[in-house]
Amino acid sequence: MSNPCIICVAITGSLPRKEDNPAVPITVAEQIESTQAAFEAGASIAHCHVRNDDQTPSSDPEKFGRLMEGLKKHCPGMIIQLSTGGRSGAGEARGGMLPLAPDMASLSVGSNNFPTRVYENPPQLVQWLADEMRTYAVKPEIEAFDLSHIHQAVALAEQGSITSPLYVQFVMGVKNSMPADKPTFDFYIETLKRLAPDAQWCGAGIGANQYVVNEWAIAAGGHTRTGLEDNVRLDRDTLAPSNAALVERAVALCEKYQRPVATWQQARHILGLKQSY
């Protein structure tokens, strides 16, 4: 199999803390350093959140701006993808950084259950985020926590709210949401290919499911996501020493399945993004 595999590194997220793993990068400086190592290890997309000094999640555009500036300097060419996720803010505050015009931003197109709460993505907010992304030429990464989210993404593309070809990430293993189930994963791929034949897709597994979904995605010819946001361990007894270590594990899977790791230039070409800043 010769098609390049794009590796996305989710460097921080909203939940992991230093108490869970000291390697979790919290400050902007830590995030830049951790991302640079992951970039050099083979990641071509950085999925980014920002935090407050007390480690709580933030949606502060100023923090995102400083992070983007540092990543452009130290990881030249890497695709910068900012999170509009719901843990870091409410309502339109979740998209307050979109005027910074990152390469990409996450877009959840429907609601679902999380471990202790409902992850609310009401239609009017989804539409507003999609409109903002079109205004600032930001490519959405559709976060599919449920099968219905694939159908909704296709509907948004058909009505012109988001631009085709789609890039859809299957998120599996969140408690109370879609489990990491191989027949379901296979059906996701089949459904997306049927509804949007030109779409690209990525697989992300949460916690112990990370490595499992990495392997499924790479073996099936898709792209994959790793990083400390989703999983702070190499195994039950071993903390991951860095984001780069988790990227290296995905790179090894690419070698196992004879998939070249996409360079940032190849990743930008695959996703239809401009080649340089």
Side-chain angles (χ1 to χ4, degrees):
M1 196 175 290
S2 61
N3 58 316
C5 176
I6 299 170
I7 298 176
C8 173
V9 60
I11 55 175
T12 303
S14 296
L15 290 180
R17 298 173 62 91
K18 293 286 191 185
E19 298 93 307
D20 303 312
N21 184 332
V24 174
I26 300 297
T27 67
V28 169
E30 287 176 339
Q31 290 186 60
I32 293 167
E33 182 179 7
S34 184
T35 305
Q36 182 179 10
F39 180 52
E40 292 170 354
S44 53
I45 300 177
H47 175 75
C48 305
H49 294 245
V50 291
R51 302 284 194 98
N52 298 308
D53 291 343
D54 65 356
Q55 303 192 59
T56 56
S58 172
S59 56
D60 183 356
E62 187 273 335
K63 291 182 187 293
F64 274 116
R66 287 192 288 117
L67 179 58
M68 283 183 60
E69 181 181 6
L71 294 182
K72 288 180 179 181
K73 178 180 179 180
H74 295 282
C75 308
M78 191 178 199
I79 296 166
I80 298 174
Q81 180 190 105
L82 303 186
S83 173
T84 66
R87 285 192 176 100
S88 57
E92 294 183 2
R94 288 168 48 177
M97 81 297 289
L98 293 174
L100 296 172
D103 298 297
M104 301 182 73
S106 60
L107 178 63
S108 297
V109 296
S111 301
N112 58 278
N113 286 343
F114 269 3
T116 60
R117 58 187 283 263
V118 175
Y119 182 25
E120 295 186 17
N121 293 288
Q124 64 271 24
L125 177 60
V126 173
Q127 186 66 58
W128 182 84
L129 288 169
D131 290 344
E132 287 289 284
M133 291 182 196
R134 283 184 61 85
T135 296
Y136 297 105
V138 178
K139 184 176 181 69
E141 178 188 79
I142 303 301
E143 306 292 333
F145 293 90
D146 183 78
L147 180 62
S148 65
H149 299 170
I150 295 174
H151 287 266
Q152 181 61 17
V154 172
L156 287 168
E158 289 176 345
Q159 73 187 37
S161 295
I162 55 180
T163 304
S164 294
L166 296 173
Y167 188 60
V168 180
Q169 179 166 264
F170 311 142
V171 185
M172 310 190 84
V174 175
K175 184 179 179 181
N176 299 327
S177 189
M178 188 62 74
D181 176 71
K182 185 60 162 55
T184 301
F185 177 83
D186 293 339
F187 188 67
Y188 271 5
I189 299 171
E190 176 189 332
T191 301
L192 184 63
K193 286 182 177 179
R194 174 172 57 85
L195 298 176
D198 60 348
Q200 295 283 335
W201 61 270
C202 173
I206 306 303
N209 298 297
Q210 183 177 79
Y211 187 77
V212 173
V213 176
N214 286 163
E215 185 159 21
W216 291 350
I218 292 166
H223 310 295
T224 201
R225 166 169 139 166
T226 189
L228 291 168
E229 170 176 350
D230 300 337
N231 168 45
V232 297
R233 297 182 175 276
L234 290 177
D235 56 47
R236 182 184 297 272
D237 301 315
T238 311
L239 292 176
S242 63
N243 275 302
L246 294 172
V247 171
E248 289 165 359
R249 191 166 68 164
V251 168
L253 284 171
C254 289
E255 293 171 354
K256 175 180 177 180
Y257 290 97
Q258 300 181 323
R259 296 280 308 280
V261 176
T263 64
W264 66 262
Q265 295 95 334
Q266 290 172 321
R268 285 179 175 274
H269 176 74
I270 291 166
L271 298 176
L273 301 173
K274 60 186 178 183
Q275 282 295 317
S276 60
Y277 298 117

